Amino acid sequence: MTGNLIIMWKYPEKPFCLKGFLIQFSKSGRFDDFETIVFDTKSINNFYILPKTAQGWYRIRALDFFDMEIVGPYSVPKLFQH
């Protein structure tokens, strides 16, 4: 194990005009405690490797290619522990 975290999410909608994903982190997992750590993955792959990880909760959300709006809901937060 390299200590990297791979986030995978099969988003519920078809991938029309997706630019990438927004990745958020929270130590507590509370809805109002998440902060954005990756503003755009620049990839529509169903995975993204975070080079630096911390114990806590992660969630992602799809981004629209035309920067019009965020597409789809946030993923269900997942707890990551070393």
Side-chain angles (χ1 to χ4, degrees):
M1 179 83 178
T2 63
N4 293 331
L5 171 66
I6 298 176
I7 296 176
M8 297 175 17
W9 178 47
K10 184 175 180 178
Y11 37 91
E13 301 296 325
K14 293 181 180 179
F16 296 116
C17 298
L18 291 183
K19 177 172 69 171
F21 296 95
L22 175 100
I23 302 175
Q24 293 190 326
F25 171 79
S26 169
K27 286 186 179 183
S28 70
R30 290 191 340 253
F31 178 76
D32 61 346
D33 189 40
F34 279 87
E35 63 181 69
T36 301
I37 58 173
V38 177
F39 288 92
D40 185 356
T41 62
K42 306 262 192 262
S43 171
I44 61 168
N45 291 326
N46 280 359
F47 64 90
Y48 183 76
I49 299 174
L50 290 172
K52 182 179 176 185
T53 60
Q55 292 191 111
W57 296 84
Y58 291 84
R59 69 181 184 182
I60 66 174
R61 193 173 199 182
L63 298 172
D64 177 47
F65 183 79
F66 301 104
D67 294 325
M68 300 297 288
E69 60 185 61
I70 295 177
V71 178
Y74 281 106
S75 66
V76 174
K78 294 294 182 181
L79 178 61
F80 173 75
Q81 295 177 322
H82 292 281

